[in-house]
Amino acid sequence: MIIEIGEFTRVEGNGKAEIIIEDGEVKDVRLKIVEGPRFFELLTLGRHYYDVPDLEARICAICYLAHSVASVMGIERAFGVEVPEEIQLLRELGLIGEFLESHALHLYLLVAPDVFGYPDAIRMASKHGELVKEGIALKAFGNRLRELIGGREIGGINVKPGGFGRYQTTEELETIEEESGALLRLAKRAVRLFASLEPYGERAEHFVATNGYLWGERLIAEDKEPFHYTERIEEHSLVYSFAKQSCYNGESFLVGSLARLLLKSDQLTPEAKRLFKEHEDKLSTGYVSYNNLAQAIELVYSLERAGEIAKILLDRGISGENVPVEPREGEGIGYVEAPRGVLIHHYRTDSKGRIVHSNIITPTALNHAMIEESLLKEARVLYGEADEEEMIGRLEETVRAFDPCISCSVHIVKL
């Protein structure tokens, strides 16, 4: 017998799951990514490097800037280009905006209805309107940051190899410094809300993140030894899904906010670090549902760090000069933390700067095996104890805890 969870609700993209029952017990779970293949790796082959980041920004409307930055970093590393701290800080500011926009959307509008027992945020607003307004305020500030750095809210084209198309003004940075401090109290309230919830889902044993907080030259896991993804992460295709699945040394693993906090808490801003220490006992259990609490703490981190970066740039001033980029035959990998976890853009280029190899691995593809394991555990607990409607509802909550971005996960599959 198969119990099917139809289209997941309150997640990005189209996904389903099948609960396979044999002899009165839950035998297996299949997470089915059913959006059609999107072929972004194939679309970049033969293209000039300068056009590629703008193309990759079309992969996702929610985390386009993470794709732009990862793409640019992969290209810069292939050409041996190093950009100054000014450019790095501005890119970081854009990624922070994406964290704020995405985390606020997920926590306040997609997960909070589960907390208060509503089918959606619209009906939840009738009793918890102030909470919804707070989420929208955080999301709007994140959108402004992303538009400022990326050039527009969706599919921006401002992030370029070697720098930017347009640099930011003093007035814009002053506004960022002021607004980030004013919104901090809202993020702290979100931490209190999500810290009060009981855990559910599977307990992750392996975690992977970039070695810097928002990007890195390599990845790290529990042993903190930097590695390239090709050394420990294996990708494979599934007959029932258009997204590939990844394993870390043959086992499932977790990327995202919870992984970042557990592996890199020493890199947090002061108030975010204090909140992590306050809730460390909960977070260190590894329950995937605590990814929601981790995202709330990252809201605090993002606002603190945005204010820090704005102040640094205001004190130093912005030169607004791009670094020259000379095409060459090479290979480079861009490792970036998208809101949902590690994002990888891997390119090889020819002597004219054209892309001859492209591989993109997204957070949801990396989390795919972990999502299946969490659903399997929850289904075994719930089957026979809850009716089918309640079981499906609880399993959807487990999926939402990962904050999947399903559209991002669908790329070419070689059969």
Side-chain angles (χ1 to χ4, degrees):
M1 181 176 81
I2 295 178
I3 298 175
E4 183 168 276
I5 304 177
E7 301 290 341
F8 295 133
T9 57
R10 282 185 270 136
V11 299
E12 193 288 329
N14 297 314
K16 302 179 180 181
E18 290 181 345
I19 316 301
I20 300 166
I21 312 295
E22 290 184 8
D23 300 323
E25 295 182 350
V26 177
K27 182 73 173 178
D28 199 8
V29 171
R30 294 173 180 168
L31 176 67
K32 305 173 72 174
I33 305 300
V34 295
E35 289 204 17
R38 302 175 67 215
F39 306 113
F40 271 93
E41 289 96 335
L42 187 64
L43 290 171
T44 61
L45 295 182
R47 285 185 179 264
H48 190 262
Y49 77 89
Y50 195 80
D51 299 328
V52 171
D54 296 346
L55 176 64
E56 308 291 35
R58 282 12 182 225
I59 291 174
C60 183
I62 296 175
C63 43
Y64 89 77
L65 199 53
H67 283 285
S68 294
V69 174
S71 179
V72 162
M73 290 175 68
I75 290 166
E76 287 173 347
R77 286 174 180 157
F79 296 159
V81 173
E82 292 188 14
V83 297
E85 185 182 19
E86 170 188 297
I87 292 172
Q88 293 174 353
L89 287 171
L90 287 169
R91 290 175 182 174
E92 185 180 353
L93 194 58
L95 292 174
I96 283 169
E98 206 149 76
F99 269 49
L100 287 165
E101 188 276 338
S102 182
H103 286 359
L105 169 65
H106 179 238
L107 293 175
Y108 288 87
L109 303 182
L110 306 183
V111 176
D114 293 329
V115 175
F116 295 104
Y118 290 89
D120 53 58
I122 301 298
R123 276 169 278 195
M124 184 183 74
S126 63
K127 290 287 182 70
H128 302 279
E130 195 60 33
L131 183 70
V132 173
K133 289 179 183 177
E134 289 178 4
I136 290 173
L138 288 167
K139 183 179 182 300
F141 178 60
N143 270 337
R144 288 198 296 278
L145 279 181
R146 186 168 65 168
E147 182 177 8
L148 183 65
I149 303 300
R152 54 191 180 202
E153 285 190 18
I154 297 173
I157 55 174
N158 193 45
V159 179
K160 302 295 185 184
F164 294 94
R166 170 195 178 272
Y167 283 82
Q168 290 62 50
T169 66
T170 298
E171 291 75 17
E172 289 167 337
L173 292 172
E174 287 172 344
T175 300
I176 290 168
E177 185 180 21
E178 180 182 345
E179 288 193 36
S180 59
L183 290 168
L184 200 53
R185 62 184 178 83
L186 306 186
K188 291 178 184 178
R189 280 215 286 267
V191 173
R192 290 196 294 272
L193 171 62
F194 289 98
S196 67
L197 306 181
E198 293 298 317
Y200 53 87
E202 181 63 289
R203 295 171 68 164
E205 295 185 9
H206 301 293
F207 304 90
V208 173
T210 59
N211 60 341
Y213 203 83
L214 290 185
W215 63 67
E217 295 180 354
R218 285 178 173 78
L219 303 177
I220 56 170
E222 304 90 78
D223 62 7
K224 303 296 179 72
E225 289 294 325
F227 64 93
H228 280 301
Y229 81 95
T230 51
E231 296 166 350
R232 300 192 193 180
I233 293 175
E234 311 90 38
E235 296 181 89
H236 57 272
S237 301
L238 301 168
V239 296
Y240 53 84
S241 175
F242 282 122
K244 291 180 283 187
Q245 190 178 88
S246 300
C247 292
Y248 171 80
N249 290 338
E251 300 186 58
S252 65
F253 63 101
L254 185 70
V255 300
S257 296
L258 182 56
R260 286 189 288 263
L261 292 192
L262 294 177
L263 295 178
K264 302 183 285 192
S265 62
D266 60 315
Q267 299 182 45
L268 292 171
T269 48
E271 183 62 14
K273 186 180 291 187
R274 184 192 70 78
L275 290 167
F276 170 76
K277 291 295 183 184
E278 181 180 333
H279 301 293
E280 186 174 5
D281 289 345
K282 288 181 179 180
L283 295 165
S284 61
T285 61
Y287 280 105
V288 296
S289 60
Y290 282 135
N291 193 53
N292 294 322
L293 172 58
Q295 284 193 352
I297 293 173
E298 283 195 330
L299 287 175
V300 175
Y301 165 82
S302 298
L303 290 166
E304 284 188 294
R305 184 61 180 151
E308 287 178 0
I309 292 172
K311 186 177 188 312
I312 291 169
L313 293 171
L314 284 167
D315 289 344
R316 295 180 184 176
I318 296 178
S319 68
E321 294 180 4
N322 287 357
V323 175
V325 176
E326 293 294 332
R328 72 179 192 189
E329 186 176 338
E331 182 173 7
I333 305 174
Y335 295 112
V336 165
E337 292 283 357
R340 291 154 182 81
V342 173
L343 171 65
I344 302 167
H345 280 242
H346 183 181
Y347 304 112
R348 295 191 192 103
T349 58
D350 65 15
S351 59
K352 295 182 179 180
R354 293 175 300 203
I355 304 299
V356 296
H357 169 84
S358 173
N359 189 34
I360 300 169
I361 311 177
T362 65
T364 300
L366 295 173
N367 276 334
H368 192 284
M370 191 73 238
I371 299 173
E372 284 192 334
E373 285 191 17
S374 291
L375 289 174
L376 180 61
K377 178 182 178 180
E378 283 289 289
R380 283 175 172 166
V381 170
L382 294 168
Y383 186 66
E385 299 296 323
D387 61 36
E388 187 172 314
E389 183 178 354
E390 182 184 354
M391 182 175 76
I392 289 174
R394 292 275 297 277
L395 292 177
E396 283 204 69
E397 288 182 27
T398 297
V399 173
R400 276 194 284 275
F402 287 89
D403 191 13
C405 188
I406 292 172
S407 297
C408 276
S409 70
V410 179
H411 294 281
I412 58 174
V413 178
K414 189 175 290 186
L415 300 177

